[in-house]
Amino acid sequence: AIVSYPYWPTFEADRQIDWKPFSRSALEEAQASGRPVLVNFHADWDMTTAWLSQRAFETPEVRDYLVKHRLIPLSADWTEPESDDIYQFAEAHEVRSVPAVLIFSPDSPEQPIILRGAYSQQQLMATLRQATPPSAATDEWSPFTSPIVGGLGLLYLIGFAVALIRNRRLRD
């Protein structure tokens, strides 16, 4: 009997993250920006990396975290042996198989945090949090997150709600 998998997911399927191809120059440029950098070693022929692509990486939670903390995602594709950069870089960081993820913090660009083998989305998120300093997050203003203005914004909303309730009572 022949058993076939009806759908072999690939790293390219349902991409939500804007991956840039890995090269030494791309890594150097990304690190020069002062932002955290994530390097994902994967291969389309590896079922684990295909599974991780869909279940750990290409999820709204991970994508939103990468955007909020301004991580630069680089894709080190081992599917075809096209780049000596990938293999030399992998060897220098003792990456001998896929999957592997290296996260470079701007605070220690020579010492990446490394995830090897299979991992869950929760493990990936914990590693991302460990590797990204709070200062890496974008400063998006919100009346609810600003400590000073937040209190005023909240008071404004409460006052507005009270006014609506009073207005409704007056009409009834």
Side-chain angles (χ1 to χ4, degrees), residues 14-95:
D14 300 324
R15 287 178 44 152
Q16 297 184 29
I17 297 171
D18 185 21
W19 294 98
K20 308 290 185 229
F22 175 85
S23 68
R24 281 287 214 188
S25 61
L27 177 65
E28 290 167 5
E29 182 180 324
Q31 287 181 314
S33 74
R35 294 165 49 190
V37 181
L38 181 146
V39 179
N40 181 29
F41 286 88
H42 64 92
D44 285 347
W45 44 257
D46 181 69
M47 188 62 184
T48 304
T49 59
W51 186 87
L52 288 171
S53 173
Q54 290 188 335
R55 304 286 186 218
F57 269 110
E58 299 294 336
T59 64
E61 182 181 8
V62 171
R63 182 205 56 228
D64 293 347
Y65 190 89
L66 295 179
V67 169
K68 180 177 181 182
H69 291 271
R70 303 177 57 225
L71 272 90
I72 298 173
L74 299 177
S75 170
D77 189 353
W78 275 15
T79 303
E80 297 291 331
E82 295 176 6
S83 170
D84 287 339
D85 269 359
I86 292 174
Y87 295 108
Q88 291 169 1
F89 182 77
E91 187 174 287
H93 290 88
E94 299 179 4
V95 173

Side-chain angles (χ1 to χ4, degrees), residues 86-108:
I86 292 174
Y87 295 108
Q88 291 169 1
F89 182 77
E91 187 174 287
H93 290 88
E94 299 179 4
V95 173
R96 293 180 178 84
S97 64
V98 293
V101 175
L102 284 71
I103 306 169
F104 295 86
S105 171
D107 299 334
S108 58

Side-chain angles (χ1 to χ4, degrees), residues 2-17:
I2 296 176
V3 177
S4 68
Y5 188 66
Y7 171 68
W8 184 274
T10 67
F11 186 72
E12 299 295 321
D14 300 324
R15 287 178 44 152
Q16 297 184 29
I17 297 171

